[in-house]
Amino acid sequence: MKKLSARRRHPLAALVVLIFALAVTGGLYAVLAPSGEAKAEDSAQSLAIEEGKKLYDVGCSSCHGAGGQGGTGGPSLVGVGAASVDFQVGTGRMPMAQPGPQAVVKPTVYDQAEIDQLAAYIASLGPGPAVPEAEAYDPAGGDPARGGELFRTNCSQCHNYTGQGGALTHGKFAPNLADVNPRHIYEAMLTGPQNMPSFPDGVLPEDAKRDIIAWLDATNTSESPNPGGLSLGGYGPVGEGFFAWTIGIGLLIAVAVWIAARSAKAKKS
Amino acid sequence: MSNPDDNDSRNTDNNVSDEHLPSEQGHGEVAPADDPFADPGLPPHEHRRQDIDERAAKRSERTVALLFTVSMLATIGFIASYVAIPIDKIVYIWPFGHISGLNFALGLTLGLALFCIGAGAVHWARTLMSDEEMVDERHPIQAAPEVKAQVLADFAAGTKESQFGRRKLVRTTLFGALALVPLSGVVLLRDLGPLPGDKLRHSKWKAGSLIINENTMQPLRPEDITVGSLTQAMPEGLDPHDHDFLVEIAKAAVMLVRLEPKDIKDPKSAEWGHEGILCFSKICTHIGCPATLYEQQTHHALCPCHQSTFDLADGARVLFGPAGHPLPQLRITVNDDGYLEALGDFEEPPGPSFWERG
C-alpha cells in the first residue's frame, strides 16, 4: 500500500488510473448488462426481417400491397402476427394459386426457414399472435375427454363431431382436420384463418386449445383407433341408416334377383 | 307327382311328365280354335341335373353339408374369438383402418355362420328339394246361397226379438251413450302435460346477469372478445349439473361476436351491443338447432340443420333458409367491475317459432 501511495505522484499515475477505471467500467458493463447478446439476437432478428421482406416483396406484395397494408386481392397483414403467417404459408394455403371461395391446402412453396423469415417480417408490421411454443400444442399434454367437450361446444358446428369437416356457403368449407400438424391447428384457433372465427386466449385458454388438439389426436388421425371402422364421414346414425337401407338392402335385393335368375335346370333355355 | 316311366307316345325326349300339358288338362281340346285367350296351361316340366344324375345329387348334398359345416366352424370361431381376443385390441385391416380386432372377428364369424346356413338352405332348395310344378285351385270366396239366406234370416229375427226397431227411445239413448263415451278419452289428453304458459317467452337472462364463457365458466370481459372471434356463452346462475339445465340452456344459450363498429348495418343492433360486441341467441328460430356456423369475414351465421343464414351485421336478419325470424339479440353493457352483463331478457321469444308466437 505504501508503494502504491508513494507512486501516486508518478507522471504516469493518471494514465494508469484512467486505464483501470475504463477496464472496471467496461467489465462491469459487460457483466451486468446482457446487451451484447441482445444486440446479437436483434441483429439476427433484423436480418430475418430483412430477408423476410425480400421474400414478401417477391411472393406476396402483388396482392397484399408493398408494405403489407392490403391491396386489390388480399387483406391487410398488419397485426395478423407470426402465427398467422406460419399457418397460411406452412399449410400451403398462401401464396394462393388462384382466386376462389377460399384458399386450399397445397404443397408448401417456402421451406420452414423462409416461412420463419416471412413471419418475422409480418410480425414486425404490428403486434399479433406469435408462433406457439411446442409444449402448448403437444397432444400428449392435453385431456382428450375435456377436449371433446370443448370441441363439440366450439368447433363441431362446422368441423363435425370428430373434425371430419363440412360445407359452408358459396363453395367455402370447413376442412377435415385429420393428420393436420398440431401446431397448425393451434395457430388456426388462435388466428381464425379466412372465414373461421378466432378463439383468442381470453375465450379459449391455452390449455383448452391443447385439450382440443389431444381430442383430435385421439379420434381423427390416420393412426387413431376407430373400433367400428368405416365411419362413413362421421355423420352419425342418419348417414349410417341411409347406408344400411340403400347399400345393404340393395345388395340383398341384387342377391335375390341373382339367385332367381340362375336356372337350376339341366337344359338351359 | 307322375312317374316319368308311365308316359305315352307324346312323351318328350327329355323324359318330362306331360301331366300338365294343355291337352292333358282338358283345356286345349275343348277350347274353341278361335279363342285367343285360351289357358295355355303350364309349360312342360324340365328336370334338373340332380333329378336325373344321382352323382350330381350327391355332389349337391355334399355342398350343402359343407356349407352347414362351415357355419358350425364359424360359430365355434365366434365363441373362440370372444374368449381369446381382448376387447381393447386394435388391429389395422385394409380398408377399414385401425379397428377393434374383437369387433371384426365377431362380425366376420357370426356373419359367415348365418350366411352359410342361408346359402346351404338355398342350395338345398334349388337342387335337391322337389321342384315339380303344381296347380292348387282357389276355392270360391262367396258363401253358399243357403248359408247366406240363413244368416240374413237369423239377423232379421234377432232385430225383431230385441225390439230394437220398435223401442225408439232405447235405440236413441243407446246411440247417445255410445257417442259420448269416447269423450272421456279426449278429456284424458289434458294429462299429456302442463300447459306451457308463457315459459316459451322467457329465458334465464335478466337485467344484471353476467355473461359466462362456456369454455372457462368465468364471466366475460369486453377485452376477451376480439374482432373475428366467436364465443359460446350462457347466463350466470346456470349449473350444467342442475336438473333443469337442459331446459334452460335450450332458451338461454348465446353467442358473442365482435364486429368493427363501421361494419354494423343496423343502428339498433349496434346500440344493443357494446363497442361492436353483439350477443345473439344461438338457437335457430326455425326448429331450434344451434346456428353457430359463423363466417367471420361475411358475418353470416348458418344453421347446420336446414342452412338458415343470418346476417349478424344486420340484426341477424334472415338471408336464406326456412327460419322465419331473426335471431333475438340480447342487450348488453359493461358493469362497474368491467364485466359484460345483460340489460334484460330477450325482447322476443328465443328459440324455434311456435303457433302463438305472433
Side-chain angles (χ1 to χ4, degrees):
Chain A
M1 213 55 189
K2 215 175 182 179
K3 237 180 194 171
L4 198 69
S5 163
R7 285 167 201 235
R8 73 181 192 275
R9 306 239 180 240
H10 193 276
L12 289 175
L15 191 63
V16 168
V17 168
L18 188 65
I19 288 171
F20 178 74
L22 279 173
V24 167
T25 313
L28 279 177
Y29 183 78
V31 170
L32 295 179
S35 56
E37 209 180 320
K39 204 171 172 188
E41 211 168 70
D42 265 357
S43 64
Q45 185 73 11
S46 57
L47 192 68
I49 292 173
E50 223 167 90
E51 290 296 315
K53 170 135 181 62
K54 284 181 197 157
L55 289 168
Y56 176 88
D57 287 342
V58 173
C60 320
S61 60
S62 58
C63 295
H64 291 289
Q69 80 281 19
T72 47
S76 164
L77 300 181
V78 177
V80 300
S84 204
V85 178
D86 193 56
F87 174 83
Q88 298 281 5
V89 185
T91 58
R93 286 180 166 82
M94 288 290 148
M96 250 175 123
Q98 73 234 5
Q102 74 184 46
V104 292
V105 173
K106 294 188 301 290
T108 51
V109 175
Y110 298 100
D111 64 26
Q112 190 59 47
E114 290 170 324
I115 293 170
D116 292 344
Q117 289 166 352
L118 272 173
Y121 170 63
I122 297 299
S124 75
L125 299 177
V131 176
E133 300 292 327
E135 55 155 313
Y137 53 80
D138 180 13
D143 173 4
R146 180 161 172 270
E149 279 176 32
L150 290 165
F151 192 87
R152 288 187 289 276
T153 303
N154 293 284
C155 323
S156 64
Q157 64 266 43
C158 301
H159 287 287
N160 206 339
Y161 302 103
T162 56
Q164 309 237 13
L168 293 171
T169 57
H170 298 286
K172 298 186 286 278
F173 62 96
N176 188 344
L177 304 179
D179 293 330
V180 176
N181 184 334
R183 189 174 89 240
H184 293 147
I185 297 179
Y186 191 100
E187 287 164 349
M189 287 191 272
L190 194 60
T191 61
Q194 305 183 47
N195 259 306
M196 173 172 163
S198 63
F199 297 89
D201 289 345
V203 172
L204 194 67
E206 288 174 31
D207 61 328
K209 289 193 179 77
R210 190 168 55 193
D211 290 343
I212 286 176
I213 287 166
W215 159 256
L216 288 171
D217 183 66
T219 57
N220 191 13
T221 69
S222 53
E223 293 301 311
S224 45
N226 175 11
L230 280 188
S231 56
L232 302 177
Y235 289 118
V238 174
E240 285 160 20
F242 183 74
F243 185 86
W245 277 91
T246 52
I247 309 288
I249 294 186
L251 274 176
L252 289 182
I253 292 171
V255 168
V257 168
W258 177 73
I259 290 174
R262 274 179 71 247
S263 169
K265 302 292 183 193
K267 206 174 113 187
K268 310 288 180 197
S269 55
Chain B
M1 283 288 120
S2 68
N3 184 345
D5 292 343
D6 58 20
N7 285 322
D8 57 16
S9 58
R10 281 176 306 193
N11 203 350
T12 50
D13 53 4
N14 60 350
N15 252 5
V16 170
S17 155
D18 54 6
E19 186 188 22
H20 294 108
L21 289 178
S23 56
E24 288 293 307
Q25 292 185 332
H27 298 291
E29 283 158 19
V30 294
D34 56 351
D35 179 4
F37 303 115
D39 180 2
L42 288 169
H45 179 73
E46 285 180 31
H47 283 295
R48 299 168 301 194
R49 196 173 167 78
Q50 285 80 359
D51 297 330
I52 42 187
D53 181 358
E54 184 54 25
R55 283 196 313 173
K58 277 274 177 209
R59 262 204 311 279
S60 282
E61 186 185 356
R62 281 197 297 274
T63 308
V64 173
L66 177 71
L67 285 166
F68 288 157
T69 313
V70 170
S71 169
M72 283 190 270
L73 293 175
T75 301
I76 292 166
F78 179 91
I79 297 168
S81 350
Y82 185 86
V83 173
I85 302 177
I87 195 162
D88 51 0
K89 173 94 177 148
I90 298 289
V91 292
Y92 180 80
I93 296 173
W94 188 88
F96 308 110
H98 298 267
I99 60 169
S100 156
L102 182 62
N103 271 7
F104 185 76
L106 293 184
L108 192 70
T109 50
L110 187 61
L112 193 64
L114 292 173
F115 176 83
C116 286
I117 292 177
V122 167
H123 196 62
W124 178 14
R126 281 170 61 84
T127 57
L128 295 174
M129 287 184 189
S130 165
D131 72 335
E132 302 278 350
E133 294 84 356
M134 281 163 55
V135 176
D136 193 0
E137 295 291 350
R138 209 178 271 166
H139 65 80
I141 297 170
Q142 200 180 32
E146 54 271 27
V147 176
K148 245 162 88 174
Q150 182 64 45
V151 169
L152 289 174
D154 286 353
F155 186 80
T159 315
K160 196 157 182 294
E161 283 165 22
S162 66
Q163 305 190 354
F164 187 79
R166 198 157 71 88
R167 309 277 177 198
K168 295 262 169 31
L169 190 59
V170 171
R171 191 188 65 186
T172 316
T173 49
L174 175 64
F175 283 158
L178 290 177
L180 281 183
V181 156
L183 280 183
S184 40
V186 175
V187 170
L188 285 179
L189 291 178
R190 175 66 187 79
D191 276 357
L192 285 175
L195 289 172
D198 63 351
K199 271 193 298 190
L200 295 172
R201 296 180 188 276
H202 301 292
S203 75
K204 201 86 175 174
W205 291 103
K206 55 181 191 294
S209 294
L210 291 176
I211 301 174
I212 306 292
N213 181 352
E214 270 195 56
N215 299 326
T216 59
M217 291 297 171
Q218 299 299 316
L220 282 161
R221 290 173 305 168
E223 55 268 33
D224 292 335
I225 297 169
T226 55
V227 172
S229 70
L230 171 70
T231 310
Q232 319 283 340
M234 61 186 197
E236 69 170 320
L238 265 189
D239 181 354
H241 302 103
D242 277 352
H243 177 67
D244 63 348
F245 175 75
L246 291 177
V247 174
E248 291 300 337
I249 195 74
K251 292 183 289 182
V254 292
M255 58 179 158
L256 288 101
V257 296
R258 188 171 202 156
L259 275 56
E260 296 287 357
K262 65 177 167 53
D263 289 340
I264 303 177
K265 295 176 210 153
D266 181 355
K268 189 179 125 191
S269 177
E271 197 204 316
W272 282 21
H274 171 76
E275 293 173 359
I277 299 177
L278 307 178
C279 181
F280 289 100
S281 164
K282 69 175 180 188
I283 313 297
C284 183
T285 54
H286 176 219
I287 52 168
C289 298
T292 55
L293 281 81
Y294 175 56
E295 297 181 351
Q296 58 120 334
Q297 289 175 339
T298 58
H299 315 305
H300 294 172
L302 277 68
C303 180
C305 295
H306 304 94
Q307 287 72 49
S308 289
T309 308
F310 303 91
D311 187 357
L312 300 192
D314 193 8
R317 186 168 61 91
V318 180
L319 292 174
F320 176 79
H325 303 270
L327 296 171
Q329 188 177 356
L330 193 71
R331 297 176 68 176
I332 56 169
T333 187
V334 170
N335 68 11
D336 296 337
D337 301 327
Y339 289 109
L340 289 168
E341 66 170 29
L343 279 170
D345 198 358
F346 296 110
E347 303 262 302
E348 293 167 45
S353 301
F354 50 94
W355 199 328
E356 309 86 343
R357 187 182 189 278

